[in-house]
Amino acid sequence: MNNFNTYQDIILTDNYQKLSYKNHINDHITSVLDFAAESSDSTVLKDNDLKFSKNLYWECIDAIYQNNPINLNDSKKEENRILKQKLYKDIIDKLGVFFDYKDEILIETIDFTISNYMDNLNYHEILGTNNPWLFTNNILVNNNLLYSFTDNKDEYKHLLKKNKKESEISKNLTIGVIGKGHRKDYVQSYIKDIYALRNLFVNLLDENNHDRKSPLKINEIYQKFRDLNISENELTNNNIKSWIVQPLKKFTKIGSNKDGFFIIRNEEDLYESYKSHYNNFMGFYKTLERHKRFANTSEFNQNDFDKHNDIFLK
């Protein structure tokens, strides 16, 4: 029960200033969808017109469960049941006068927080750094918040404030997120539908013929989003790079060379990106080999400087 003892030390926050909960929820949702896309043959997750929904999220969670089964013995199952039961009681106690069993949003928020806490407990060793519940665990442990999200603006309309500065595109590609601390009210915000924005970007590359013959520099990509009236307050340059460009490269929907990024439409585009990555790989390899040669006169174990060659033995 060590994990429960850790949670008992957490005091739900009464200060909603400078919290990072919305970024953690965004990272969690994106990680869940990306993980499911990598580990399943789902055509839905590869659809160019994919938009996020709560149903899609739970389908991806189920896919993660199915592809990474956990075999718990009866003793461990009972331990988890007791822990979960104690978590509910402890959270209700921590909320104190701010707990209202008639508040359906609050009940959903408690359920979601505890479900993610248990999943992190069960999967943190199995999935390692790929564990999507690492992000939500940060909300509870570091932000000291209960939390939830919705793709239906009407569901939280009495809680979520309108962002008047938001672009029209962003308004249609937003997910409402809320947090609950030791207060009567909720903290609320919006995050972007990253999957829809990825598809918007791919379609933009396609429509403007940005293939291997007409790549875009990263700064030009940032500007494309600004031209759509998506401000840096809504989506930073770093968000664009880490949440949109890099995953699209990872899933081979876009490629790159020394001149920039481009859509992969055919074998020629694919080969252009391959050549660029191959040249980069050879550059890194030669650098590592030079390190190995310089290390011949050092006191280090020579095997420590030959790890880059071990990959060819696997």
Side-chain angles (χ1 to χ4, degrees):
M1 293 297 177
N2 290 333
N3 284 279
F4 180 64
N5 292 335
T6 300
Y7 177 72
Q8 285 180 316
D9 295 333
I10 296 173
I11 300 174
L12 293 177
T13 185
D14 60 1
N15 185 354
Y16 290 161
Q17 300 298 314
K18 298 181 180 180
L19 296 177
S20 55
Y21 74 101
K22 72 174 185 177
N23 287 334
H24 291 314
I25 292 180
N26 183 82
D27 287 335
H28 169 71
I29 291 173
T30 305
S31 179
V32 165
L33 269 64
D34 283 347
F35 194 102
E38 282 189 280
S39 58
S40 75
D41 297 324
S42 171
T43 55
V44 175
L45 289 169
K46 297 174 177 62
D47 188 341
N48 286 338
D49 295 318
L50 178 68
K51 287 188 66 175
F52 177 78
S53 70
K54 234 177 182 179
N55 286 338
L56 177 63
Y57 169 84
W58 288 114
E59 287 175 9
C60 290
I61 290 291
D62 285 340
I64 293 174
Y65 292 159
Q66 291 172 16
N67 291 321
N68 301 274
I70 296 177
N71 297 316
L72 302 178
N73 57 36
D74 290 342
S75 175
K76 184 62 178 177
K77 287 179 182 177
E78 179 63 12
E79 184 178 329
N80 279 0
R81 186 193 67 78
I82 294 173
L83 171 58
K84 193 171 183 179
Q85 188 178 57
K86 287 186 175 181
L87 281 170
Y88 272 103
K89 182 180 184 304
D90 198 58
I91 283 178
I92 293 171
D93 289 343
K94 288 179 187 293
L95 285 168
V97 296
F98 302 119
F99 174 72
D100 180 1
Y101 72 92
K102 295 180 181 178
D103 184 345
E104 294 181 2
I105 298 296
L106 177 58
I107 300 304
E108 177 189 328
T109 299
I110 294 172
D111 287 344
F112 188 56
T113 302
I114 291 178
S115 173
N116 287 336
Y117 183 90
M118 297 302 299
D119 281 336
N120 181 63
L121 181 67
N122 290 324
Y123 281 99
H124 76 280
E125 290 185 359
I126 296 173
L127 300 182
T129 56
N130 291 322
N131 175 11
W133 292 284
L134 286 172
F135 302 111
T136 47
N137 200 57
N138 286 332
I139 304 173
L140 181 63
V141 174
N142 298 329
N143 291 164
N144 299 156
L145 281 176
L146 310 173
Y147 53 88
S148 190
F149 71 89
T150 183
D151 59 324
N152 180 359
K153 292 182 180 180
D154 291 335
E155 189 175 358
Y156 294 171
K157 64 182 179 181
H158 60 297
L159 301 173
L160 292 171
K161 300 172 185 176
K162 293 182 179 179
N163 185 350
K164 295 181 180 179
K165 296 181 180 179
E166 194 174 30
S167 66
E168 285 301 316
I169 289 178
S170 289
K171 287 178 182 177
N172 295 322
L173 301 177
T174 55
I175 301 167
V177 295
I178 58 171
K180 178 74 171 181
H182 190 253
R183 289 172 49 156
K184 182 177 180 180
D185 61 343
Y186 292 79
V187 61
Q188 58 80 30
S189 190
Y190 292 96
I191 56 176
K192 298 304 160 200
D193 181 345
I194 297 302
Y195 259 66
L197 286 173
R198 287 180 191 174
N199 293 331
L200 181 150
F201 176 57
V202 169
N203 291 333
L204 183 149
L205 291 177
D206 192 25
E207 292 168 4
N208 292 279
N209 294 315
H210 289 296
D211 56 12
R212 69 189 186 283
K213 298 178 181 178
S214 180
L216 289 173
K217 298 287 189 185
I218 190 65
N219 286 335
E220 293 176 308
I221 292 174
Y222 298 152
Q223 189 56 47
K224 290 291 183 183
F225 281 91
R226 307 303 169 227
D227 291 342
L228 295 171
N229 293 321
I230 299 176
S231 71
E232 193 157 358
N233 288 332
E234 298 176 60
L235 198 69
T236 67
N237 289 349
N238 186 58
N239 293 157
I240 293 170
K241 186 175 182 179
S242 60
W243 292 344
I244 297 174
V245 177
Q246 290 177 348
L248 285 172
K249 280 194 65 180
K250 179 180 178 182
F251 292 114
T252 327
K253 288 198 171 185
I254 66 173
S256 65
N257 58 22
K258 61 183 179 61
D259 296 316
F261 300 87
F262 51 87
I263 188 171
I264 294 179
R265 285 171 165 165
N266 50 45
E267 293 178 0
E268 286 78 11
D269 292 326
L270 182 64
Y271 186 56
E272 175 68 19
S273 186
Y274 173 84
K275 285 192 301 180
S276 178
H277 285 81
Y278 174 77
N279 290 333
N280 289 336
F281 168 75
M282 290 306 299
F284 285 123
Y285 183 81
K286 289 176 182 177
T287 298
L288 291 170
E289 282 291 290
R290 284 195 292 271
H291 279 68
K292 185 174 74 172
R293 287 197 297 272
F294 279 118
N296 286 336
T297 58
S298 74
E299 295 180 359
F300 277 93
N301 187 320
Q302 293 305 298
N303 290 333
D304 291 336
F305 284 87
D306 200 40
K307 293 180 180 179
H308 57 287
N309 284 312
D310 290 344
I311 61 175
F312 301 112
L313 302 175
K314 295 181 179 180

